[in-house]
Amino acid sequence: IDHTGASRAFAFMIAARRSDSSQRPTFDVELVASMRTAYRRAATLVAAEDVRIRALCDTVAPTKPPRIFVWGANEYATRIGQRLAEIGCLNAHVIDSAASKIGTMHEGFSHAIEPPMFSGDEPEGCVVLLCSPAWNMQIRTQIETSRLRKARIIDAINWQPPAQETIRLLATPSRR
C-alpha cells in the first residue's frame, strides 16, 4: 500500500493491537492522526480505482470478445478478474511471462496463469488488457509481432472511462 499513501506504521499498529492487547504500542497523538489521514486517503484512492476497473470491465465484456487476455498477474489483474467474474464473463485468461507464476491460479480467474504463447487459430476480436505498469510498451510490441496482432489492446493501467460512465458507476453500489 506504499504507493497509495497509507503508512506502514499504521499497519504495524493494527497488527500489534490484534496480536497482544496487553502490550499495545503507544504512539504520539499527532503520529496517529497522520496515520489515520493517510489511511483515509488510501481508502479513497482504492475506491476510485475500483470504480475505474469496474468501468473498464463493463466496457470490454459486453462487446463479447471471443477471449480476453489479461497480461500481468498482479493486483490490477486480480481486480479485473474479480469484476469480470461478477458480471459473468468467464472467457478471461491471465497470462504472464514469469515462470514462477505460470500454472498457478490467480484470484478472479477460472484458468491457471498461462505463458504468453498464442496459436495461429486465435479468433479475431480478442482483447488484451495490459496490466504491467513497467512493461506495457514492451508487451504491446510483443503482441503486435505475434499471432495476436489483430487483437484489441487496452492499457488497463492508464485507461480512463468516459465521464458519464464514471458518474453512473459512482451512483451504482459495488457488489463487493
Side-chain angles (χ1 to χ4, degrees), residues 2-138:
D2 285 347
H3 66 281
T4 63
S7 71
R8 290 183 182 193
F10 185 75
F12 284 125
M13 185 174 73
I14 291 171
R17 281 185 181 170
R18 290 184 178 164
S19 67
D20 185 359
S21 61
S22 67
Q23 293 183 342
R24 288 190 177 176
T26 57
F27 289 102
D28 177 69
V29 173
E30 289 179 23
L31 177 61
V32 172
S34 73
M35 287 187 270
R36 286 185 175 142
T37 299
Y39 179 81
R40 282 192 295 275
R41 186 174 54 246
T44 300
L45 292 171
V46 168
E49 180 64 6
D50 282 345
V51 168
R52 193 183 73 76
I53 292 297
R54 287 175 59 211
L56 173 62
C57 294
D58 292 356
T59 300
V60 171
T63 63
K64 303 226 185 299
R67 254 189 224 154
I68 298 173
F69 295 102
V70 179
W71 195 319
N74 56 30
E75 68 275 5
Y76 294 100
T78 300
R79 288 179 171 161
I80 289 169
Q82 289 169 335
R83 179 59 184 162
L84 290 174
E86 278 179 3
I87 60 178
C89 183
L90 302 177
N91 62 342
H93 298 259
V94 64
I95 56 179
D96 201 287
S97 299
S100 61
K101 295 180 181 181
I102 295 169
T104 62
M105 294 304 291
H106 194 80
E107 186 176 355
F109 294 88
S110 57
H111 309 282
I113 299 170
E114 303 168 25
M117 296 186 300
F118 307 105
S119 66
D121 62 347
E122 293 296 343
E124 280 192 40
C126 290
V127 172
V128 181
L129 300 176
L130 305 181
C131 295
S132 177
W135 298 100
N136 275 355
M137 292 300 291
Q138 291 86 342

